[in-house]
Amino acid sequence: MYHSLWLFLRLVSTAQFVLGAAVFNWPDPLLDTLEDQLYLPGISASSELALDCLARDGSTVAAQWLRLAYHDMANHNSTTGTGGMDASILFEFTRPQDIGVGMFESLSDFAFSSNEYVGLADSIAMGAINAVIDCGGPVIPFRGGRIDATVAGPATVPEPQQDLASHIASFKAQGFNQTEMIMLVACGHSLGGVRKVDFPLIVTENVPTGIQTFALTVGFDNTLVHEYLNSTTENVLVVGSNITTRSDLRIFSSDNNVTMQRLASSTTFNTVCADLIGRMIDTVPSSVTLTDVIEPFNYKVTKTFLFPQNGSLTFLASLRIISSRNARTPTITMFWKERTGSFCPPKGCSVGTSDDTVADSSFLAQLKGVPFFDLFSFNASIDLKTSISHFWFEANDNDGSTPFVVDNNGANYTIHQDVVLYDPLRSDTSNPFSVLVVGVKGPGSNPSVTALTTLSGSDIPFTTSKTSVFTLDPSLPPADGYTFYSSSISHIGQLISSNTIHATINGTAYSRWVPSLDIG
């Protein structure tokens, strides 16, 4: 299988180490979500569905994802700074140049990936990266922060019947010169083909599978280039009977094949394609600023909860660490300090792990040298009167080296407030009529508590938002100095992607982000 054959070679030859990578300062919902989707399997469709260049509809999932990404970007205008990777394809996939069963299927693949902070455009971009590596291609750096469009963009996707001048003008508008146009088309067309039912004027012959592929082999490589140069190609956009739609021939030969000769080198092909597809997915409206490249975070705090229980505050937290790949399991201790008063010793209160497990990594993470993650869980009992202001960790590798501190890049992991707390034990998220519960410290003064909930489903638009109001819950008596308010959220056929709980207590505003992994 592709997966097993590529892994060792990829770790040695193509894994990229990027300087200036994004730094995760907890809490950061955008980076938190994107890093999970990139490097944990099962979090996002794009981490698994295209593995081993999985076949679908006579083509591959990867080819469909790569086409979707280019067609989404192709309405960019580098002069005006509009368009680009902005998920406007959601409103465009029925246009003649965008049709194809793979377009809606691919959009559906990413339907449940968005939340309040991460949109469909980022998912489409991640899909392009995974499409390439899942078919044997190079690793492409990922930056996040794309913003989804709410309307269709201009119909500027190049079409096969257009002349060379039109193609050069289209790619120039997107930000690519003529040489880059040749390269990007060769990279993109290393996968996939043309479906007869969608483009009967291009595929004029009967093909048993219903699709005329661009190359005779499956995989992201330069076979297409060699078949073109050796005149053995069956690429319908080069040798098709409809001369008008031989767009690849016009593009590839537009500089007397100089660029295609360069791409005959596998090393050059991979380097060029990684750069150009990376530029393609990073082509965004000028109003959008992308993050730095997101690499696997060495240390990541997740699944944090603070809530009243049995006369104290229960604090749950998990620390995820990239595995050191040695035989020793590190010893991790969590420390914290009080919010008010004095309760902890000078070094801080502390607790050991309540559980430690191994978490699998995605294929992309493995290509970057991360075989798996170590996940350490903590369950601390916090004094109600003094509460908690911040926490940190001390890690001992048990190999004779000096223990080291994990403290949010020197800033500590700060608990900003203990007045409005999401309560996972009193909440019920096990059915389509979820009940969220928050505890409000003290009697309050007509507290106003709402939740902005992001719901993901299979219908367009895939992501919707609703605001719900929390009311005093008579079934939950006050306890440990907290009064409990609840809100019921109906989400039949939808998943709760995230909630942001907002509250105003005695004139002070509070908020708490609750990602999907925290609520069910």
Side-chain angles (χ1 to χ4, degrees):
M1 300 292 286
Y2 285 104
H3 186 282
S4 58
L5 289 175
W6 298 335
L7 184 54
F8 174 74
L9 292 176
R10 215 37 73 69
L11 288 173
V12 172
S13 62
T14 61
Q16 299 185 11
F17 300 93
V18 180
L19 296 176
V23 176
F24 179 60
N25 291 300
W26 181 87
D28 187 327
L30 174 65
L31 289 181
D32 193 335
T33 302
L34 290 174
E35 200 263 1
D36 271 355
Q37 293 186 352
L38 286 166
Y39 301 120
L40 294 181
I43 302 300
S44 168
S46 60
S47 69
E48 295 179 312
L49 282 183
L51 273 176
D52 297 326
C53 221
L54 183 68
R56 183 162 72 182
D57 306 319
S59 181
T60 64
V61 175
Q64 294 176 345
W65 286 358
L66 198 55
R67 179 175 183 247
L68 178 75
Y70 174 73
H71 282 234
D72 186 44
M73 183 281 302
N75 59 27
H76 180 67
N77 187 313
S78 57
T79 301
T80 62
T82 57
M85 291 290 297
D86 60 3
S88 65
I89 191 68
L90 187 66
F91 310 100
E92 302 160 0
F93 68 93
T94 58
R95 290 173 174 173
Q97 65 267 49
D98 296 321
I99 62 172
V101 63
M103 299 299 270
F104 182 73
E105 285 179 335
S106 297
L107 287 168
S108 298
D109 290 337
F110 309 126
F112 295 95
S113 298
S114 301
N115 64 23
E116 181 181 350
Y117 296 90
V118 174
L120 180 61
D122 273 341
S123 297
I124 293 173
M126 277 187 276
I129 288 174
N130 282 284
V132 172
I133 63 170
D134 289 345
C135 286
V139 175
I140 299 169
F142 178 83
R143 298 169 177 82
R146 294 162 187 80
I147 297 176
D148 289 356
T150 56
V151 296
T156 54
V157 176
E159 297 182 82
Q161 72 275 12
Q162 294 173 331
D163 60 22
L164 179 62
S166 297
H167 285 131
I168 292 174
S170 292
F171 279 86
K172 181 180 179 181
Q174 297 161 19
F176 301 97
N177 62 33
Q178 182 177 348
T179 299
E180 292 166 340
M181 171 187 70
I182 298 169
M183 292 173 169
L184 189 56
V185 172
C187 294
H189 287 178
S190 66
L191 300 174
V194 182
R195 197 176 304 280
K196 180 177 176 63
V197 67
D198 297 323
F199 298 98
L201 298 181
I202 299 175
V203 183
T204 58
E205 306 294 331
N206 290 323
V207 285
T209 61
I211 183 171
Q212 180 63 61
T213 57
F214 293 125
L216 295 180
T217 59
V218 176
F220 190 94
D221 55 37
N222 64 346
T223 299
L224 170 139
V225 175
H226 286 285
E227 290 176 351
Y228 168 78
L229 293 174
N230 296 336
S231 298
T232 60
T233 184
E234 295 183 11
N235 179 353
V236 71
L237 299 181
V238 174
V239 296
S241 60
N242 187 343
I243 297 175
T244 304
T245 58
R246 291 182 181 176
S247 55
D248 279 9
L249 176 62
R250 291 191 289 273
I251 289 171
F252 294 161
S253 63
S254 64
D255 66 352
N256 295 317
N257 295 328
V258 171
T259 299
M260 293 298 279
Q261 292 286 356
R262 282 183 57 197
L263 297 179
S265 161
S266 295
T267 301
T268 300
F269 183 82
N270 279 344
T271 301
V272 163
C273 291
D275 174 62
L276 289 178
I277 294 176
R279 281 178 51 191
M280 179 186 82
I281 62 174
D282 287 351
T283 297
V284 295
S286 58
S287 58
V288 175
T289 300
L290 298 179
T291 69
D292 290 332
V293 173
I294 302 174
E295 295 292 317
F297 299 141
N298 289 329
Y299 311 104
K300 184 175 181 180
V301 169
T302 65
K303 302 178 182 178
T304 57
F305 300 95
L306 181 66
F307 56 94
Q309 183 185 34
N310 301 327
S312 65
L313 289 172
T314 292
F315 180 56
L316 305 179
S318 293
L319 177 66
R320 197 202 71 192
I321 301 177
I322 292 179
S323 173
S324 60
R325 292 173 286 174
N326 60 30
R328 299 181 181 90
T329 299
T331 299
I332 312 293
T333 304
M334 183 176 74
F335 292 85
W336 70 92
K337 293 292 289 183
E338 313 91 329
R339 178 173 296 277
T340 59
S342 177
F343 180 82
C344 297
K347 187 176 181 179
C349 293
S350 64
V351 67
T353 56
S354 59
D355 190 26
D356 61 87
T357 58
V358 173
D360 291 333
S361 61
S362 69
F363 184 44
L364 177 58
Q366 293 170 36
L367 296 182
K368 290 176 175 286
V370 181
F372 50 86
F373 298 95
D374 291 321
L375 187 65
F376 301 89
S377 300
F378 301 86
N379 186 334
S381 180
I382 309 293
D383 182 73
L384 271 171
K385 293 181 180 179
T386 58
S387 189
I388 177 175
S389 63
H390 62 273
F391 63 101
W392 69 97
F393 304 90
E394 187 176 273
N396 188 337
D397 280 337
N398 298 315
D399 58 0
S401 62
T402 302
F404 58 94
V405 173
V406 180
D407 59 358
N408 205 24
N409 304 305
N412 286 316
Y413 298 97
T414 301
I415 304 296
H416 292 284
Q417 56 90 16
D418 61 357
V419 176
V420 179
L421 302 178
Y422 168 71
D423 195 319
L425 294 191
R426 290 178 173 87
S427 298
D428 180 7
T429 60
S430 61
N431 60 68
F433 301 94
S434 295
V435 177
L436 304 185
V437 175
V438 298
V440 176
K441 191 174 185 178
S445 177
N446 297 319
S448 170
V449 185
T450 62
L452 176 64
T453 301
T454 303
L455 301 171
S456 297
S458 56
D459 296 327
I460 294 176
F462 294 129
T463 302
T464 57
S465 298
K466 66 168 56 175
T467 298
S468 54
V469 177
F470 286 75
T471 57
L472 185 67
D473 194 325
S475 69
L476 299 173
D480 304 321
Y482 284 82
T483 304
F484 299 97
Y485 296 78
S486 65
S487 176
S488 178
I489 301 173
S490 175
H491 54 101
I492 298 175
Q494 297 175 297
L495 295 179
I496 295 179
S497 298
S498 65
N499 290 278
T500 297
I501 296 169
H502 298 280
T504 301
I505 314 294
N506 295 325
T508 301
Y510 303 89
S511 65
R512 166 74 161 94
W513 180 58
V514 186
S516 59
L517 291 182
D518 286 356
I519 62 172

